[in-house]
Amino acid sequence: MAMARASSGLAYPQRFYAAAAYVGFGGSPNSSKGVISKFQNDVALLLYGLYQQATVGSCNIPKPRAWNPVEQSKWTSWHGLGNMASTEAMRLFVKILEEEEPGWYLKVPEFVIEPVIDVEMNNPKSESVTQNGNSFPEPKTIFTENGSIETQDKDVVLEGLGSVGVYDQWVQPSISGQRPKARYEHGAAVVQDTMYIFGGNHNGRYLSDLQVLDLRSLTWSRVEVKAGTESLESPSAVPMAPCAGHSLIPWENKLISIAGHTKDPLETVTVKALDLQTCTWSTLKTYGKPPVSRGGQSVTLVGSTTLVMFGGEDAKRALLNDLHILDLETMTWDEIDAVGVPPSPRSDHAAAVHAERYLLIFGGGSHATCFNDLHVLDLQTMEWSRPTQQGDIPSPRAGHAGVTVGENWFIAGGGNNKSGASETVVLNMSTLVWSIVTTVQGRVPLASEGLSLVVSSYNSEDILVSFGGYNGRYSNEVYVIKPSNKSTLQSKMMESSLPDSVAALHNLTNATRDVDSEFEAGQEGKIREIVMDDVDSESLKVKGEENKERILAALKAEKEELEASFTKEQSLSLQLKQELAEAATRNTDLVKELQSVRGQLAAEQSRCFKLEVDVAELRQKLQTMETLQKELELLQRQKAASEQAALNAKQQSSGGVWGWLAGSPSS
């Protein structure tokens, strides 16, 4: 497996030449052997054309004579690639080979080259490789679950979120566009395949820019926002003040920015909204008693109309553990006085909501220490509890980021004032079982404080996206990970071995309320540490064998269920194949009918054209007849006038002769 991993991580052009040697062209551009016979003719011709395009360039030779069909087919395959770049031809060559034979690199050990990797990913030393006048990008580094490092070619493997083929491993995709300034404690949110980054801290200076990462094309761009209005009652322009440690929440067609540290802090928390259509900031008018100004708090959207704010640090650096709720329909603040023992005052913690009822608070820090405790607030009874955590409980940390996917709560980054947290963990919120997803090595941005973590999706698969952070240096790097369902299966297996009091989150409020509490006064205030242990170790030992049998029975039942599902899927697949064949037959009939209709339509169009010609000729004849009619009428009038004149002349001539004969006197 080591040989396969190294060969698959070869950089270009060595990767291409290794593939060409395996296919049968040889390992250098000068060799031109025939393609081995195990490929089909169309695949072999395509590989030949790509090889020629990559090593020689565009096809400029004349077309061979028709009596040589093999050479003509090869020429057609090469000539059809047009002006394709050499680098693109190399990558397509390797891609087609990997589709035909995924294990080709196992058979060319002479081309195995161990790539050079720089663990310090925010200061990479690997540079692009130049050969034959073409530039090839450097290999990208991948952190594996066991801490080892692999390399994969950046342009072949990491072209967008859709090409993330591995699970539970952080990868760094290729990003285009102008990268934002490095930062931490910024706000991040995803709306319709777009990640928005607002504000943050860089070298102690607060930022106010709005950066956008298109998660489909993985392209950065900066949005020029407009100064909005104070409110509907006060239409004066409002510039967006630089801030950090704020919360950015997507809501309807807006992004809501709440709280945060600013250079000139106000007395109370302000709520600002960015209209994503007009790119305009505005301050939302709120009612009730707003919380004191702060940063490093958690703000969680519950349902679609409720925001829950907890903790943080005010402008005087006092830590808080108060609880406030903002109703987005009425824009009214309410301060909640919950029962039970709340979490100790803290900031830079993580919060999530489960089943639209339970608010979970994990970790965070004071001025002296960091926490890894888990607290749960029942939003119906407004009662705090501190359940027992199970599994691989994370180390204490603050400044981490979290995001929920179903019933799983993924947490990455954070630190404890000494080092960054290297493991990415997940909590099954139904069973309260922790699992480690993966671990990174070295001083990398994923082990930083103040990073952001959001969730997007591609082809119905969830993908987590991390940005920024600070671990001694500021980061503007993007990392992605595609989580598997491994953590869910692990938590289900452990659930059967847990006592009923912690088996499910909906039983939290019925758990034992007897707790041993210790209160210690610190320099920054009172830090409440609650010790709760409702699990009897001896009872666990007694039930150990029973739990094993229950686990085996559960696994057998799950196996039978999977086999039944597989049989059902096979039957469904057969049915779909039959339906596909019927659809293909119907499609053939429809194509024939369509061709017949098209023939009839062509005939009708021809007949219509002839009719239009006849109509035009008739119109022309009609116009000619109208002209002739007018000429006829004119001639008739002229004839009538001539006849009348002749008649008059005749009458005058006749009267004079007869009068002379009768002896009439002449006039």
Side-chain angles (χ1 to χ4, degrees), residues 242-309:
C243 61
H246 51 288
S247 300
L248 194 64
I249 308 295
W251 180 60
E252 295 182 347
N253 62 336
K254 302 179 180 65
L255 290 179
I256 297 180
S257 178
I258 299 181
H261 298 295
T262 59
K263 183 179 179 181
D264 299 315
L266 301 176
E267 293 184 358
T268 58
V269 164
T270 58
V271 181
K272 296 183 181 293
L274 173 66
D275 191 318
L276 296 178
Q277 295 181 352
T278 63
C279 294
T280 303
W281 282 108
S282 61
T283 301
L284 302 181
K285 183 177 179 58
T286 60
Y287 302 91
K289 183 181 179 181
V292 65
S293 179
R294 68 190 66 196
Q297 71 291 326
S298 63
V299 178
T300 310
L301 180 64
V302 180
S304 59
T305 60
T306 303
L307 291 179
V308 181
M309 174 185 289

Side-chain angles (χ1 to χ4, degrees), residues 329-609:
E329 290 184 339
T330 62
M331 297 306 296
T332 302
W333 283 105
D334 286 323
E335 183 174 4
I336 305 301
D337 186 12
V339 299
V341 181
S344 58
R346 65 190 65 198
S347 66
D348 298 328
H349 51 279
V353 64
H354 175 56
E356 302 297 340
R357 175 175 177 177
Y358 302 101
L359 178 71
L360 286 74
I361 304 293
F362 171 75
S366 66
H367 300 307
T369 186
C370 295
F371 310 111
N372 65 341
D373 50 353
L374 178 66
H375 298 264
V376 178
L377 174 67
D378 189 330
L379 295 173
Q380 291 187 2
T381 62
M382 288 302 170
E383 182 178 5
W384 285 106
S385 61
R386 185 180 177 184
T388 300
Q389 306 177 68
Q390 299 294 323
D392 300 316
I393 301 176
S395 59
R397 65 188 65 192
H400 46 287
V403 67
T404 59
V405 178
E407 63 181 9
N408 292 324
W409 187 16
F410 292 88
I411 291 179
N416 57 5
N417 296 326
K418 295 181 180 179
S419 62
S422 59
E423 69 273 13
T424 299
V425 296
V426 58
L427 173 69
N428 186 295
M429 294 184 289
S430 295
T431 61
L432 300 181
V433 176
W434 288 99
S435 303
I436 296 178
V437 179
T438 186
T439 302
V440 298
Q441 300 293 331
R443 193 178 182 183
V444 296
L446 290 167
S448 300
E449 297 183 20
L451 77 170
S452 61
L453 188 65
V454 296
V455 61
S456 183
S457 62
Y458 185 88
N459 285 342
S460 301
E461 287 190 310
D462 297 302
I463 297 180
L464 311 186
V465 183
S466 170
F467 171 76
Y470 176 77
N471 61 356
R473 60 171 67 96
Y474 296 91
S475 170
N476 61 353
E477 302 291 340
V478 175
Y479 294 88
V480 297
I481 186 173
K482 182 161 61 174
S484 65
N485 59 353
K486 177 181 66 176
S487 58
T488 303
L489 296 176
Q490 290 177 346
S491 62
K492 286 182 178 179
M493 293 179 62
M494 292 196 62
E495 181 181 3
S496 61
S497 64
L498 296 178
D500 294 337
S501 58
V502 295
L505 185 58
H506 57 72
N507 291 330
L508 276 171
T509 55
N510 298 326
T512 305
R513 303 297 183 186
D514 297 332
V515 297
D516 298 328
S517 303
E518 296 179 2
F519 299 93
E520 298 180 356
Q523 295 179 353
E524 279 68 39
K526 296 182 179 180
I527 300 178
R528 301 169 185 171
E529 296 294 341
I530 308 161
V531 179
M532 177 179 181
D533 187 4
D534 56 350
V535 181
D536 188 3
S537 59
E538 293 183 359
S539 62
L540 286 177
K541 294 180 181 178
V542 173
K543 296 180 180 179
E545 295 298 329
E546 298 178 358
N547 291 335
K548 291 181 180 179
E549 295 178 358
R550 292 170 57 188
I551 292 174
L552 290 175
L555 290 175
K556 290 180 180 179
E558 186 175 359
K559 178 183 177 182
E560 294 175 355
E561 183 180 354
L562 290 175
E563 290 177 348
S565 299
F566 180 70
T567 304
K568 183 179 179 181
E569 290 296 331
Q570 283 183 327
S571 175
L572 181 60
S573 177
L574 180 60
Q575 181 181 355
L576 290 175
K577 288 181 179 179
Q578 295 176 352
E579 294 178 355
L580 182 61
E582 295 175 358
T585 303
R586 291 196 300 268
N587 183 58
T588 303
D589 297 338
L590 290 174
V591 169
K592 293 180 180 179
E593 184 177 355
L594 178 61
Q595 292 176 350
S596 176
V597 172
R598 284 178 176 174
Q600 296 176 5
L601 180 60
E604 291 296 327
Q605 287 178 342
S606 177
R607 192 169 67 87
C608 289
F609 178 74

Side-chain angles (χ1 to χ4, degrees), residues 19 61 70 73 109 130 238 288 306 316 354 361 379 505 514 539 545 610-611 627 629:
I61 62 176
V70 176
S73 299
T130 302
V238 177
T306 303
K316 299 179 181 178
H354 175 56
I361 304 293
L379 295 173
L505 185 58
D514 297 332
S539 62
E545 295 298 329
K610 292 180 180 179
L611 290 175
T627 303
Q629 181 69 27

Side-chain angles (χ1 to χ4, degrees), residues 66-84:
W67 52 263
N68 193 339
V70 176
E71 293 300 324
Q72 188 176 16
S73 299
K74 292 166 65 176
W75 181 90
T76 302
S77 177
W78 182 13
H79 186 267
L81 298 177
N83 296 324
M84 178 184 291

Side-chain angles (χ1 to χ4, degrees), residues 47-61:
L47 290 174
Y48 169 81
L50 290 170
Y51 177 81
Q52 293 294 107
Q53 191 80 8
T55 57
V56 179
S58 300
C59 180
N60 296 321
I61 62 176

